[in-house]
Amino acid sequence: MHTINSFQKTKNNRHPLFAFGLSLIVLSAALLLLWLGQLAEHHIKDKVVVREIAMVALPPPPPPSISQQQTSEPMQSLAVEGAGASIQAVKIKITSNLSIVKPDTPNVKVNAPQWQSMSVNWDAFSLNQLDGLPTLLTPVKAVLPKSLTRRGVDVFTVKLDVFIDESGKLSLIEVVQNPYPELKPAIDKIIKQSRFSAPKKEGETVRARFIWPIEFKP
């Protein structure tokens, strides 16, 4: 009885070991199969298949026919009113017997222009031949320009050869003394604005000519 119990106890102890070993074998087989599958998949992925493809050139499409080109373009119609202008031929008769009369050249006499002398008669009496000295009726402002005063010119006298007509109007014949061109505008202004009394000789108005000194001051 004791032997049977010990055998059953031994049998009961081997049963878990057998189950554990069987499980270990099954697990190892599963892992082995899984590793073989991954190895086969990796081997298949690395395999490259090269296939030769022949390229065949296709012929170009045929050009469209003339009828197709004509139908593809839209037709345009132009409406024209009237029959238009008509051209008529005109016949021109040319005769060679033409007589040309040469006109007579007119005889025109051209007279040469006669130029009148523009010279002024300055013949006049001097002051010592008059009944008295002509009197200046208008004031004279003889002022030196600043361009001369800057150069140190204080007082300067110009001498003018002047002419007085019967009415006392003054005219300039010649500038006798004036080394400064800056004074010319002032001299022209004085001649234009000055007026004398009519010169007289034996009670009658005459013309007079004399040298007129004018003193310029700053």
Side-chain angles (χ1 to χ4, degrees):
M1 187 69 176
H2 179 71
T3 303
I4 294 170
N5 291 332
S6 107
F7 177 75
Q8 288 180 352
K9 189 181 292 186
T10 301
K11 186 177 179 180
N12 292 332
N13 290 333
R14 288 179 179 178
H15 182 70
L17 293 176
F18 178 76
F20 176 76
L22 183 60
S23 300
L24 184 61
I25 292 172
V26 172
L27 181 60
S28 299
L31 292 175
L32 180 60
L33 291 175
L34 180 62
W35 179 74
L36 290 177
Q38 290 181 356
L39 182 62
E41 183 180 359
H42 180 71
H43 181 70
I44 292 172
K45 287 183 179 180
D46 292 342
K47 185 176 181 180
V48 178
V49 178
V50 179
R51 296 180 182 180
E52 183 179 357
I53 301 174
M55 300 295 294
V56 179
L58 298 176
S65 61
I66 299 176
S67 60
Q68 292 179 355
Q69 293 181 356
Q70 293 179 353
T71 56
S72 61
E73 296 181 356
M75 296 298 292
Q76 297 180 359
S77 60
L78 299 177
V80 180
E81 296 181 359
S86 60
I87 300 175
Q88 297 179 357
V90 179
K91 294 183 180 180
I92 300 174
K93 185 178 181 181
I94 300 175
T95 58
S96 59
N97 297 327
L98 296 177
S99 60
I100 299 175
V101 180
K102 184 178 180 182
D104 296 333
T105 303
N107 187 10
V108 180
K109 293 182 180 181
V110 179
N111 297 325
Q114 296 180 358
W115 300 97
Q116 297 180 356
S117 177
M118 299 298 294
S119 61
V120 180
N121 185 11
W122 299 113
D123 294 337
F125 291 96
S126 59
L127 294 180
N128 56 5
Q129 294 176 333
L130 301 176
D131 296 342
L133 296 178
T135 304
L136 182 62
L137 303 178
T138 56
V140 175
K141 295 181 180 180
V143 181
L144 284 172
K146 294 183 180 180
S147 59
L148 291 179
T149 56
R150 293 194 197 99
R151 292 160 56 181
V153 180
D154 295 334
V155 179
F156 184 77
T157 302
V158 297
K159 294 181 180 181
L160 308 177
D161 187 1
V162 296
F163 175 85
I164 304 176
D165 62 5
E166 292 85 353
S167 63
K169 183 180 179 181
L170 185 67
S171 299
L172 177 64
I173 299 175
E174 183 182 2
V175 178
V176 179
Q177 178 181 339
N178 179 28
Y180 303 111
E182 295 90 336
L183 294 177
K184 187 178 184 306
I187 292 172
D188 295 339
K189 185 177 181 180
I190 291 173
I191 295 297
K192 185 178 180 180
Q193 295 179 353
S194 298
R195 188 93 177 187
F196 283 84
S197 61
K200 291 184 179 181
K201 180 177 175 58
E202 298 177 357
E204 296 181 0
T205 57
V206 294
R207 298 183 297 177
R209 177 177 178 178
F210 62 96
I211 302 298
W212 185 23
I214 301 176
E215 188 178 41
F216 283 82
K217 297 180 180 180

